[in-house]
Structure formats: structure tokens, C-alpha cells
Short mmCIF file of all heavy atoms in Angstrom, two decimals:
data_model
loop_
_atom_site.label_atom_id
_atom_site.label_comp_id
_atom_site.label_asym_id
_atom_site.label_seq_id
_atom_site.Cartn_x
_atom_site.Cartn_y
_atom_site.Cartn_z
N MET A 234 0.84 -1.16 0.03
CA MET A 234 0.01 0.01 -0.03
C MET A 234 0.88 1.25 0.02
O MET A 234 1.86 1.32 0.74
CB MET A 234 -0.87 0.00 1.24
CG MET A 234 -1.87 1.15 1.25
SD MET A 234 -2.99 1.29 2.61
CE MET A 234 -3.43 -0.35 2.93
N GLU A 235 0.51 2.19 -0.85
CA GLU A 235 1.25 3.43 -0.95
C GLU A 235 0.42 4.57 -0.39
O GLU A 235 -0.80 4.56 -0.51
CB GLU A 235 1.57 3.76 -2.39
CG GLU A 235 2.42 2.74 -3.11
CD GLU A 235 2.52 3.03 -4.61
OE1 GLU A 235 2.98 4.15 -4.95
OE2 GLU A 235 2.13 2.17 -5.38
N THR A 236 1.05 5.55 0.20
CA THR A 236 0.39 6.70 0.78
C THR A 236 0.61 7.88 -0.14
O THR A 236 1.76 8.19 -0.51
CB THR A 236 0.86 6.97 2.22
OG1 THR A 236 0.67 5.83 2.98
CG2 THR A 236 0.17 8.15 2.79
N ILE A 237 -0.44 8.54 -0.50
CA ILE A 237 -0.38 9.72 -1.39
C ILE A 237 -0.90 10.91 -0.54
O ILE A 237 -2.06 10.94 -0.16
CB ILE A 237 -1.22 9.59 -2.62
CG1 ILE A 237 -0.88 8.28 -3.41
CG2 ILE A 237 -1.11 10.78 -3.51
CD1 ILE A 237 0.59 8.23 -3.86
N ALA A 238 0.00 11.87 -0.24
CA ALA A 238 -0.39 12.99 0.56
C ALA A 238 -0.87 14.14 -0.30
O ALA A 238 -0.21 14.50 -1.29
CB ALA A 238 0.83 13.48 1.39
N ILE A 239 -2.00 14.74 0.06
CA ILE A 239 -2.52 15.85 -0.73
C ILE A 239 -2.53 17.11 0.16
O ILE A 239 -2.59 16.98 1.40
CB ILE A 239 -3.93 15.59 -1.28
CG1 ILE A 239 -4.96 15.31 -0.15
CG2 ILE A 239 -3.92 14.45 -2.28
CD1 ILE A 239 -6.37 15.24 -0.62
N HIS A 240 -2.47 18.28 -0.44
CA HIS A 240 -2.40 19.51 0.30
C HIS A 240 -3.77 20.25 0.26
O HIS A 240 -3.86 21.32 0.85
CB HIS A 240 -1.35 20.42 -0.28
CG HIS A 240 0.06 19.88 -0.17
ND1 HIS A 240 0.83 20.04 0.92
CD2 HIS A 240 0.78 19.11 -1.08
CE1 HIS A 240 1.95 19.42 0.70
NE2 HIS A 240 1.95 18.86 -0.47
N THR A 241 -4.76 19.65 -0.36
CA THR A 241 -6.06 20.28 -0.46
C THR A 241 -7.10 19.42 0.22
O THR A 241 -6.77 18.31 0.73
CB THR A 241 -6.43 20.41 -1.99
OG1 THR A 241 -6.38 19.15 -2.61
CG2 THR A 241 -5.48 21.35 -2.71
N GLU A 242 -8.33 19.88 0.28
CA GLU A 242 -9.39 19.15 0.94
C GLU A 242 -9.69 17.82 0.27
O GLU A 242 -9.96 16.84 0.84
CB GLU A 242 -10.66 20.01 0.98
CG GLU A 242 -11.87 19.35 1.59
CD GLU A 242 -13.12 20.20 1.52
OE1 GLU A 242 -13.04 21.39 1.17
OE2 GLU A 242 -14.19 19.61 1.80
N PHE A 243 -9.62 17.84 -1.10
CA PHE A 243 -9.89 16.61 -1.89
C PHE A 243 -9.06 16.61 -3.16
O PHE A 243 -8.46 17.63 -3.50
CB PHE A 243 -11.36 16.51 -2.25
CG PHE A 243 -11.88 17.61 -3.15
CD1 PHE A 243 -11.76 17.49 -4.49
CD2 PHE A 243 -12.45 18.72 -2.59
CE1 PHE A 243 -12.22 18.49 -5.33
CE2 PHE A 243 -12.91 19.77 -3.43
CZ PHE A 243 -12.82 19.62 -4.80
N ILE A 244 -9.04 15.49 -3.83
CA ILE A 244 -8.35 15.39 -5.14
C ILE A 244 -9.31 14.51 -6.03
O ILE A 244 -9.90 13.57 -5.51
CB ILE A 244 -6.94 14.83 -5.05
CG1 ILE A 244 -6.26 14.86 -6.46
CG2 ILE A 244 -6.98 13.40 -4.48
CD1 ILE A 244 -4.74 14.58 -6.37
N LYS A 245 -9.46 14.90 -7.30
CA LYS A 245 -10.26 14.07 -8.18
C LYS A 245 -9.57 12.78 -8.53
O LYS A 245 -8.35 12.78 -8.65
CB LYS A 245 -10.66 14.84 -9.39
CG LYS A 245 -11.58 16.03 -9.12
CD LYS A 245 -11.99 16.77 -10.34
CE LYS A 245 -12.84 17.93 -9.96
NZ LYS A 245 -13.26 18.73 -11.16
N LEU A 246 -10.34 11.74 -8.74
CA LEU A 246 -9.81 10.41 -9.00
C LEU A 246 -8.78 10.43 -10.16
O LEU A 246 -7.66 9.89 -9.97
CB LEU A 246 -10.92 9.42 -9.31
CG LEU A 246 -10.49 8.01 -9.57
CD1 LEU A 246 -9.66 7.37 -8.48
CD2 LEU A 246 -11.73 7.09 -9.85
N GLN A 247 -9.13 11.00 -11.29
CA GLN A 247 -8.20 10.92 -12.44
C GLN A 247 -6.93 11.72 -12.10
O GLN A 247 -5.81 11.35 -12.53
CB GLN A 247 -8.83 11.33 -13.76
CG GLN A 247 -8.99 12.82 -13.94
CD GLN A 247 -9.50 13.11 -15.35
OE1 GLN A 247 -10.21 12.30 -15.96
NE2 GLN A 247 -9.18 14.25 -15.87
N ASP A 248 -7.06 12.81 -11.32
CA ASP A 248 -5.89 13.61 -10.97
C ASP A 248 -4.99 12.80 -10.02
O ASP A 248 -3.78 12.92 -10.10
CB ASP A 248 -6.30 14.91 -10.33
CG ASP A 248 -7.04 15.82 -11.29
OD1 ASP A 248 -6.80 15.67 -12.56
OD2 ASP A 248 -7.81 16.71 -10.88
N LEU A 249 -5.62 12.04 -9.12
CA LEU A 249 -4.79 11.25 -8.16
C LEU A 249 -3.96 10.19 -8.97
O LEU A 249 -2.83 9.99 -8.65
CB LEU A 249 -5.72 10.53 -7.15
CG LEU A 249 -4.95 9.60 -6.23
CD1 LEU A 249 -4.32 10.35 -5.08
CD2 LEU A 249 -5.82 8.51 -5.72
N LEU A 250 -4.62 9.58 -9.93
CA LEU A 250 -3.91 8.54 -10.69
C LEU A 250 -2.69 9.11 -11.43
O LEU A 250 -1.60 8.48 -11.46
CB LEU A 250 -4.84 7.84 -11.70
CG LEU A 250 -6.00 7.07 -11.06
CD1 LEU A 250 -6.89 6.49 -12.15
CD2 LEU A 250 -5.48 5.96 -10.13
N LYS A 251 -2.86 10.33 -11.94
CA LYS A 251 -1.71 10.96 -12.60
C LYS A 251 -0.67 11.39 -11.55
O LYS A 251 0.53 11.19 -11.73
CB LYS A 251 -2.16 12.19 -13.38
CG LYS A 251 -2.97 11.87 -14.67
CD LYS A 251 -3.26 13.12 -15.50
CE LYS A 251 -4.05 14.11 -14.71
NZ LYS A 251 -4.44 15.32 -15.51
N PHE A 252 -1.09 12.03 -10.47
CA PHE A 252 -0.23 12.52 -9.41
C PHE A 252 0.62 11.39 -8.81
O PHE A 252 1.79 11.54 -8.54
CB PHE A 252 -1.10 13.20 -8.34
CG PHE A 252 -0.27 13.76 -7.20
CD1 PHE A 252 0.54 14.90 -7.39
CD2 PHE A 252 -0.36 13.22 -5.96
CE1 PHE A 252 1.28 15.46 -6.33
CE2 PHE A 252 0.38 13.75 -4.88
CZ PHE A 252 1.18 14.87 -5.03
N ALA A 253 0.00 10.22 -8.66
CA ALA A 253 0.71 9.07 -8.05
C ALA A 253 1.56 8.28 -9.05
O ALA A 253 2.27 7.39 -8.70
CB ALA A 253 -0.32 8.11 -7.44
N GLY A 254 1.51 8.68 -10.36
CA GLY A 254 2.29 8.02 -11.33
C GLY A 254 1.66 6.72 -11.80
O GLY A 254 2.35 5.86 -12.39
N ALA A 255 0.42 6.43 -11.45
CA ALA A 255 -0.24 5.18 -11.82
C ALA A 255 -0.61 5.20 -13.30
O ALA A 255 -0.80 4.12 -13.89
CB ALA A 255 -1.50 4.99 -10.94
N THR A 256 -0.78 6.37 -13.89
CA THR A 256 -1.03 6.53 -15.31
C THR A 256 -0.11 7.66 -15.85
O THR A 256 0.27 8.50 -15.04
CB THR A 256 -2.49 6.91 -15.63
OG1 THR A 256 -2.78 8.16 -15.03
CG2 THR A 256 -3.43 5.83 -15.08
N GLY A 257 0.16 7.58 -17.12
CA GLY A 257 1.02 8.61 -17.70
C GLY A 257 0.27 9.85 -18.12
O GLY A 257 0.86 10.95 -18.09
N THR A 258 -0.96 9.72 -18.48
CA THR A 258 -1.78 10.84 -18.99
C THR A 258 -3.15 10.83 -18.41
O THR A 258 -3.66 9.78 -17.94
CB THR A 258 -1.87 10.79 -20.53
OG1 THR A 258 -2.62 9.61 -20.85
CG2 THR A 258 -0.50 10.73 -21.20
N GLY A 259 -3.82 11.96 -18.52
CA GLY A 259 -5.20 12.07 -18.15
C GLY A 259 -6.10 11.12 -18.97
O GLY A 259 -7.05 10.55 -18.49
N GLY A 260 -5.73 11.02 -20.27
CA GLY A 260 -6.57 10.18 -21.14
C GLY A 260 -6.45 8.72 -20.75
O GLY A 260 -7.43 7.97 -20.78
N GLU A 261 -5.24 8.27 -20.34
CA GLU A 261 -5.10 6.92 -19.90
C GLU A 261 -5.91 6.67 -18.60
O GLU A 261 -6.56 5.67 -18.44
CB GLU A 261 -3.60 6.64 -19.61
CG GLU A 261 -3.32 5.23 -19.21
CD GLU A 261 -1.82 4.98 -18.94
OE1 GLU A 261 -1.02 5.84 -19.24
OE2 GLU A 261 -1.55 3.90 -18.40
N ALA A 262 -5.86 7.66 -17.68
CA ALA A 262 -6.62 7.57 -16.42
C ALA A 262 -8.12 7.50 -16.77
O ALA A 262 -8.80 6.62 -16.15
CB ALA A 262 -6.34 8.76 -15.53
N LYS A 263 -8.60 8.28 -17.70
CA LYS A 263 -10.02 8.31 -18.03
C LYS A 263 -10.39 6.92 -18.60
O LYS A 263 -11.45 6.38 -18.18
CB LYS A 263 -10.23 9.35 -19.13
CG LYS A 263 -11.61 9.40 -19.70
CD LYS A 263 -11.74 10.45 -20.77
CE LYS A 263 -13.02 10.35 -21.51
NZ LYS A 263 -13.15 11.29 -22.63
N ASN A 264 -9.60 6.35 -19.42
CA ASN A 264 -9.92 5.03 -20.03
C ASN A 264 -9.97 3.94 -19.00
O ASN A 264 -10.87 3.11 -18.99
CB ASN A 264 -8.90 4.69 -21.15
CG ASN A 264 -9.06 5.53 -22.37
OD1 ASN A 264 -10.17 6.11 -22.63
ND2 ASN A 264 -8.02 5.70 -23.11
N LEU A 265 -8.98 3.91 -18.06
CA LEU A 265 -8.97 2.88 -17.03
C LEU A 265 -10.21 2.99 -16.11
O LEU A 265 -10.80 1.99 -15.75
CB LEU A 265 -7.69 3.00 -16.17
CG LEU A 265 -6.40 2.64 -16.86
CD1 LEU A 265 -5.21 3.00 -16.00
CD2 LEU A 265 -6.38 1.16 -17.25
N ILE A 266 -10.59 4.23 -15.77
CA ILE A 266 -11.77 4.43 -14.94
C ILE A 266 -13.04 3.98 -15.67
O ILE A 266 -13.83 3.24 -15.11
CB ILE A 266 -11.85 5.91 -14.49
CG1 ILE A 266 -10.65 6.26 -13.57
CG2 ILE A 266 -13.18 6.14 -13.79
CD1 ILE A 266 -10.42 7.73 -13.36
N GLN A 267 -13.20 4.47 -16.92
CA GLN A 267 -14.39 4.09 -17.68
C GLN A 267 -14.48 2.59 -17.99
O GLN A 267 -15.54 2.10 -18.13
CB GLN A 267 -14.45 4.91 -18.99
CG GLN A 267 -14.76 6.38 -18.72
CD GLN A 267 -14.83 7.18 -19.96
OE1 GLN A 267 -14.25 6.83 -21.07
NE2 GLN A 267 -15.48 8.32 -19.92
N ASP A 268 -13.34 1.91 -18.01
CA ASP A 268 -13.30 0.46 -18.25
C ASP A 268 -13.57 -0.30 -17.00
O ASP A 268 -13.55 -1.60 -17.02
CB ASP A 268 -11.97 0.03 -18.87
CG ASP A 268 -11.81 0.54 -20.31
OD1 ASP A 268 -12.82 0.90 -20.95
OD2 ASP A 268 -10.71 0.48 -20.84
N GLY A 269 -13.74 0.34 -15.85
CA GLY A 269 -14.06 -0.34 -14.60
C GLY A 269 -12.89 -1.01 -13.99
O GLY A 269 -13.04 -1.90 -13.14
N GLN A 270 -11.65 -0.49 -14.24
CA GLN A 270 -10.47 -1.13 -13.70
C GLN A 270 -9.96 -0.45 -12.42
O GLN A 270 -8.94 -0.84 -11.83
CB GLN A 270 -9.34 -1.00 -14.76
CG GLN A 270 -9.65 -1.84 -15.99
CD GLN A 270 -8.48 -1.79 -16.97
OE1 GLN A 270 -7.36 -1.93 -16.57
NE2 GLN A 270 -8.78 -1.61 -18.28
N VAL A 271 -10.71 0.56 -11.97
CA VAL A 271 -10.32 1.28 -10.78
C VAL A 271 -11.41 1.17 -9.69
O VAL A 271 -12.58 1.31 -9.98
CB VAL A 271 -10.08 2.79 -11.07
CG1 VAL A 271 -9.69 3.60 -9.83
CG2 VAL A 271 -9.05 3.00 -12.15
N SER A 272 -10.97 0.89 -8.45
CA SER A 272 -11.98 0.84 -7.40
C SER A 272 -11.58 1.81 -6.24
O SER A 272 -10.40 2.12 -6.13
CB SER A 272 -12.11 -0.58 -6.77
OG SER A 272 -10.89 -0.98 -6.19
N VAL A 273 -12.62 2.36 -5.66
CA VAL A 273 -12.44 3.25 -4.50
C VAL A 273 -13.11 2.67 -3.29
O VAL A 273 -14.32 2.32 -3.40
CB VAL A 273 -13.07 4.63 -4.85
CG1 VAL A 273 -12.91 5.60 -3.67
CG2 VAL A 273 -12.36 5.26 -6.04
N ASN A 274 -12.36 2.48 -2.27
CA ASN A 274 -12.87 1.89 -1.03
C ASN A 274 -13.55 0.56 -1.29
O ASN A 274 -14.63 0.26 -0.73
CB ASN A 274 -13.80 2.87 -0.33
CG ASN A 274 -13.08 4.16 0.09
OD1 ASN A 274 -11.88 4.12 0.41
ND2 ASN A 274 -13.77 5.29 0.02
N GLY A 275 -12.97 -0.27 -2.19
CA GLY A 275 -13.48 -1.59 -2.47
C GLY A 275 -14.56 -1.72 -3.47
O GLY A 275 -15.05 -2.81 -3.74
N GLU A 276 -15.02 -0.62 -4.06
CA GLU A 276 -16.10 -0.66 -5.03
C GLU A 276 -15.63 -0.01 -6.33
O GLU A 276 -15.01 1.03 -6.35
CB GLU A 276 -17.33 0.11 -4.51
CG GLU A 276 -17.99 -0.50 -3.31
CD GLU A 276 -19.25 0.19 -2.88
OE1 GLU A 276 -19.84 0.92 -3.75
OE2 GLU A 276 -19.63 0.07 -1.75
N VAL A 277 -15.97 -0.66 -7.45
CA VAL A 277 -15.58 -0.12 -8.77
C VAL A 277 -16.18 1.28 -8.92
O VAL A 277 -17.32 1.50 -8.55
CB VAL A 277 -16.09 -1.05 -9.90
CG1 VAL A 277 -15.90 -0.40 -11.27
CG2 VAL A 277 -15.41 -2.40 -9.82
N CYS A 278 -15.35 2.17 -9.38
CA CYS A 278 -15.79 3.54 -9.54
C CYS A 278 -15.62 3.98 -11.03
O CYS A 278 -14.52 3.78 -11.60
CB CYS A 278 -14.93 4.49 -8.70
SG CYS A 278 -15.46 6.23 -8.80
N LEU A 279 -16.70 4.45 -11.61
CA LEU A 279 -16.67 4.91 -13.02
C LEU A 279 -16.67 6.39 -13.15
O LEU A 279 -16.73 6.91 -14.26
CB LEU A 279 -17.89 4.29 -13.77
CG LEU A 279 -18.01 2.78 -13.76
CD1 LEU A 279 -19.31 2.33 -14.40
CD2 LEU A 279 -16.81 2.15 -14.40
N GLN A 280 -16.59 7.13 -12.04
CA GLN A 280 -16.57 8.61 -12.05
C GLN A 280 -15.19 9.10 -11.97
O GLN A 280 -14.55 9.09 -10.91
CB GLN A 280 -17.34 9.11 -10.86
CG GLN A 280 -18.79 8.63 -10.74
CD GLN A 280 -19.34 9.05 -9.39
OE1 GLN A 280 -18.71 9.49 -8.48
NE2 GLN A 280 -20.69 8.91 -9.29
N ARG A 281 -14.64 9.60 -13.11
CA ARG A 281 -13.28 10.09 -13.07
C ARG A 281 -13.11 11.36 -12.24
O ARG A 281 -12.04 11.65 -11.75
CB ARG A 281 -12.78 10.35 -14.47
CG ARG A 281 -13.53 11.41 -15.21
CD ARG A 281 -13.07 11.52 -16.62
NE ARG A 281 -13.82 12.62 -17.22
CZ ARG A 281 -13.67 13.02 -18.44
NH1 ARG A 281 -12.83 12.44 -19.21
NH2 ARG A 281 -14.39 14.05 -18.88
N GLY A 282 -14.21 12.10 -12.03
CA GLY A 282 -14.13 13.31 -11.26
C GLY A 282 -14.52 13.11 -9.79
O GLY A 282 -14.72 14.02 -9.04
N LYS A 283 -14.61 11.81 -9.37
CA LYS A 283 -14.98 11.54 -7.96
C LYS A 283 -14.01 12.19 -7.03
O LYS A 283 -12.77 12.13 -7.20
CB LYS A 283 -14.99 10.01 -7.73
CG LYS A 283 -15.31 9.69 -6.26
CD LYS A 283 -15.64 8.26 -6.12
CE LYS A 283 -16.00 7.89 -4.62
NZ LYS A 283 -17.15 8.56 -4.13
N LYS A 284 -14.54 12.86 -6.02
CA LYS A 284 -13.68 13.60 -5.05
C LYS A 284 -13.21 12.58 -4.01
O LYS A 284 -13.95 11.95 -3.33
CB LYS A 284 -14.46 14.71 -4.43
CG LYS A 284 -14.84 15.80 -5.38
CD LYS A 284 -15.67 16.87 -4.67
CE LYS A 284 -15.99 17.96 -5.67
NZ LYS A 284 -16.85 18.99 -5.06
N LEU A 285 -11.88 12.52 -3.87
CA LEU A 285 -11.27 11.64 -2.89
C LEU A 285 -10.74 12.52 -1.73
O LEU A 285 -10.14 13.54 -1.98
CB LEU A 285 -10.10 10.84 -3.52
CG LEU A 285 -10.47 9.99 -4.73
CD1 LEU A 285 -9.23 9.43 -5.34
CD2 LEU A 285 -11.43 8.91 -4.37
N ARG A 286 -10.98 11.98 -0.56
CA ARG A 286 -10.49 12.70 0.64
C ARG A 286 -9.63 11.82 1.45
O ARG A 286 -9.59 10.57 1.25
CB ARG A 286 -11.73 13.13 1.43
CG ARG A 286 -12.54 14.24 0.75
CD ARG A 286 -13.76 14.67 1.54
NE ARG A 286 -14.36 15.87 1.00
CZ ARG A 286 -15.08 16.01 -0.12
NH1 ARG A 286 -15.33 14.91 -0.83
NH2 ARG A 286 -15.55 17.11 -0.53
N PRO A 287 -8.87 12.36 2.41
CA PRO A 287 -8.01 11.53 3.28
C PRO A 287 -8.77 10.37 3.84
O PRO A 287 -9.90 10.54 4.32
CB PRO A 287 -7.55 12.51 4.33
CG PRO A 287 -7.51 13.83 3.61
CD PRO A 287 -8.73 13.81 2.74
N GLY A 288 -8.16 9.18 3.79
CA GLY A 288 -8.77 7.97 4.21
C GLY A 288 -9.27 7.08 3.12
O GLY A 288 -9.47 5.89 3.30
N ASP A 289 -9.51 7.66 1.96
CA ASP A 289 -9.97 6.87 0.83
C ASP A 289 -8.83 6.00 0.24
O ASP A 289 -7.67 6.41 0.31
CB ASP A 289 -10.48 7.79 -0.30
CG ASP A 289 -11.88 8.41 0.01
OD1 ASP A 289 -12.63 7.77 0.78
OD2 ASP A 289 -12.12 9.48 -0.48
N VAL A 290 -9.20 4.83 -0.18
CA VAL A 290 -8.19 3.89 -0.77
C VAL A 290 -8.63 3.58 -2.18
O VAL A 290 -9.71 3.17 -2.48
CB VAL A 290 -8.19 2.56 0.07
CG1 VAL A 290 -7.23 1.58 -0.61
CG2 VAL A 290 -7.80 2.84 1.52
N VAL A 291 -7.65 3.76 -3.14
CA VAL A 291 -7.86 3.52 -4.54
C VAL A 291 -7.05 2.30 -4.96
O VAL A 291 -5.89 2.20 -4.56
CB VAL A 291 -7.46 4.75 -5.33
CG1 VAL A 291 -7.54 4.51 -6.85
CG2 VAL A 291 -8.27 5.97 -4.98
N SER A 292 -7.68 1.38 -5.66
CA SER A 292 -7.00 0.21 -6.14
C SER A 292 -7.01 0.17 -7.70
O SER A 292 -8.02 0.48 -8.30
CB SER A 292 -7.69 -1.06 -5.63
OG SER A 292 -7.66 -1.06 -4.25
N LEU A 293 -5.87 -0.21 -8.27
CA LEU A 293 -5.69 -0.24 -9.70
C LEU A 293 -4.54 -1.21 -10.01
O LEU A 293 -3.43 -1.05 -9.55
CB LEU A 293 -5.34 1.13 -10.24
CG LEU A 293 -4.80 1.25 -11.69
CD1 LEU A 293 -5.96 0.87 -12.68
CD2 LEU A 293 -4.26 2.59 -12.01
N ASN A 294 -4.90 -2.28 -10.76
CA ASN A 294 -3.91 -3.26 -11.20
C ASN A 294 -3.06 -3.79 -10.02
O ASN A 294 -1.80 -3.88 -10.16
CB ASN A 294 -2.95 -2.65 -12.26
CG ASN A 294 -3.70 -2.25 -13.54
OD1 ASN A 294 -4.66 -2.90 -13.92
ND2 ASN A 294 -3.23 -1.18 -14.18
N GLY A 295 -3.66 -4.13 -8.95
CA GLY A 295 -2.98 -4.70 -7.82
C GLY A 295 -2.25 -3.68 -6.94
O GLY A 295 -1.59 -4.02 -6.00
N ARG A 296 -2.37 -2.44 -7.29
CA ARG A 296 -1.68 -1.35 -6.53
C ARG A 296 -2.72 -0.62 -5.69
O ARG A 296 -3.79 -0.31 -6.16
CB ARG A 296 -1.06 -0.34 -7.56
CG ARG A 296 -0.21 0.70 -7.01
CD ARG A 296 0.45 1.48 -8.16
NE ARG A 296 1.18 2.63 -7.63
CZ ARG A 296 1.69 3.59 -8.37
NH1 ARG A 296 1.60 3.51 -9.71
NH2 ARG A 296 2.33 4.57 -7.83
N GLU A 297 -2.41 -0.39 -4.42
CA GLU A 297 -3.30 0.34 -3.54
C GLU A 297 -2.71 1.67 -3.14
O GLU A 297 -1.59 1.76 -2.68
CB GLU A 297 -3.61 -0.48 -2.23
CG GLU A 297 -4.66 -1.53 -2.44
CD GLU A 297 -5.12 -2.07 -1.12
OE1 GLU A 297 -4.57 -1.79 -0.08
OE2 GLU A 297 -6.14 -2.75 -1.15
N LEU A 298 -3.54 2.71 -3.33
CA LEU A 298 -3.14 4.09 -2.94
C LEU A 298 -4.00 4.62 -1.91
O LEU A 298 -5.23 4.66 -2.06
CB LEU A 298 -3.23 5.01 -4.20
CG LEU A 298 -2.54 4.50 -5.47
CD1 LEU A 298 -2.93 5.36 -6.63
CD2 LEU A 298 -1.02 4.51 -5.29
N THR A 299 -3.47 5.01 -0.76
CA THR A 299 -4.26 5.58 0.31
C THR A 299 -4.04 7.09 0.37
O THR A 299 -2.89 7.54 0.42
CB THR A 299 -3.82 4.95 1.72
OG1 THR A 299 -4.04 3.51 1.62
CG2 THR A 299 -4.67 5.53 2.82
N VAL A 300 -5.14 7.85 0.36
CA VAL A 300 -5.05 9.28 0.37
C VAL A 300 -4.88 9.74 1.89
O VAL A 300 -5.66 9.33 2.73
CB VAL A 300 -6.33 9.89 -0.24
CG1 VAL A 300 -6.21 11.40 -0.20
CG2 VAL A 300 -6.56 9.37 -1.65
N THR A 301 -3.93 10.59 2.04
CA THR A 301 -3.74 11.25 3.38
C THR A 301 -3.59 12.74 3.19
O THR A 301 -3.30 13.20 2.05
CB THR A 301 -2.49 10.71 4.13
OG1 THR A 301 -1.35 11.01 3.38
CG2 THR A 301 -2.55 9.22 4.35
N HIS A 302 -3.71 13.48 4.27
CA HIS A 302 -3.47 14.92 4.16
C HIS A 302 -1.99 15.16 4.44
O HIS A 302 -1.40 14.51 5.26
CB HIS A 302 -4.36 15.69 5.19
CG HIS A 302 -4.43 17.13 4.87
ND1 HIS A 302 -3.52 18.06 5.28
CD2 HIS A 302 -5.34 17.83 4.07
CE1 HIS A 302 -3.86 19.27 4.80
NE2 HIS A 302 -4.95 19.13 4.09
N ALA A 303 -1.45 16.11 3.70
CA ALA A 303 0.01 16.38 3.81
C ALA A 303 0.51 16.72 5.22
O ALA A 303 1.63 16.52 5.55
CB ALA A 303 0.39 17.49 2.85
N ASP A 304 -0.41 17.23 6.05
CA ASP A 304 0.01 17.63 7.43
C ASP A 304 0.04 16.43 8.38
O ASP A 304 0.48 16.59 9.47
CB ASP A 304 -1.02 18.65 7.98
CG ASP A 304 -0.97 19.95 7.20
OD1 ASP A 304 0.07 20.25 6.57
OD2 ASP A 304 -1.95 20.70 7.22
N GLN A 305 -0.40 15.30 7.95
CA GLN A 305 -0.38 14.09 8.80
C GLN A 305 0.91 13.36 8.78
O GLN A 305 1.61 13.30 7.86
CB GLN A 305 -1.52 13.12 8.41
CG GLN A 305 -2.87 13.71 8.65
CD GLN A 305 -3.99 12.81 8.24
OE1 GLN A 305 -3.84 11.83 7.44
NE2 GLN A 305 -5.16 13.07 8.75
#
């Protein structure tokens, strides 16, 4: 499990995937999300603009990303 620290209240799902280096481009992130390959907190998520907050866990291709706040 990897921890991704954000400095804002939330981050959108496709932006998190790019920020974490899980995808190379926004288009790639969009396709993975729309193809149902990304889950948030254990459920498949098809919303690329889903707001993720500290405590949320994103899974993609066997990789788990946990969102935390940068101050933690």
C-alpha cells in the first residue's frame, strides 16, 4: 500500500492517478476508470471526477493508494 499526501481538501480520481504516477496521462486515467479497472474503497468507480478525501483507498492493477493529508 502506498500513501499519497494531498495539500487540499480533496483530489479528483483521475488527478490522483496521474499525481501518483499510476497513469502517464489524463486520457489513460479516463480510459482505465471508464473500463471499470479502478476501485475506490473496495467498489468499482466509473466517475473520473470523484472527489477523494483523506482515508480513501484507490486500487488499480494490484496497486493500492491511500489518500492522506500532507499535514499528517
Side-chain angles (χ1 to χ4, degrees):
M234 184 180 321
E235 299 173 58
T236 303
I237 306 299
I239 61 172
H240 298 275
T241 56
E242 178 184 348
F243 65 86
I244 186 170
K245 292 182 181 179
L246 179 56
Q247 79 173 28
D248 294 336
L249 176 83
L250 296 177
K251 290 187 299 184
F252 181 70
T256 62
T258 65
E261 183 182 350
K263 174 184 171 183
N264 290 336
L265 291 172
I266 295 165
Q267 289 180 338
D268 289 345
Q270 296 183 44
V271 180
S272 64
V273 176
N274 299 327
E276 295 185 19
V277 172
C278 182
L279 301 176
Q280 302 171 347
R281 64 184 182 181
K283 178 165 180 65
K284 293 178 181 177
L285 303 173
R286 292 179 166 75
D289 287 332
V290 178
V291 175
S292 300
L293 167 68
N294 297 328
R296 188 173 173 189
E297 279 195 349
L298 308 169
T299 301
V300 180
T301 63
H302 198 273
D304 295 338
Q305 294 179 341

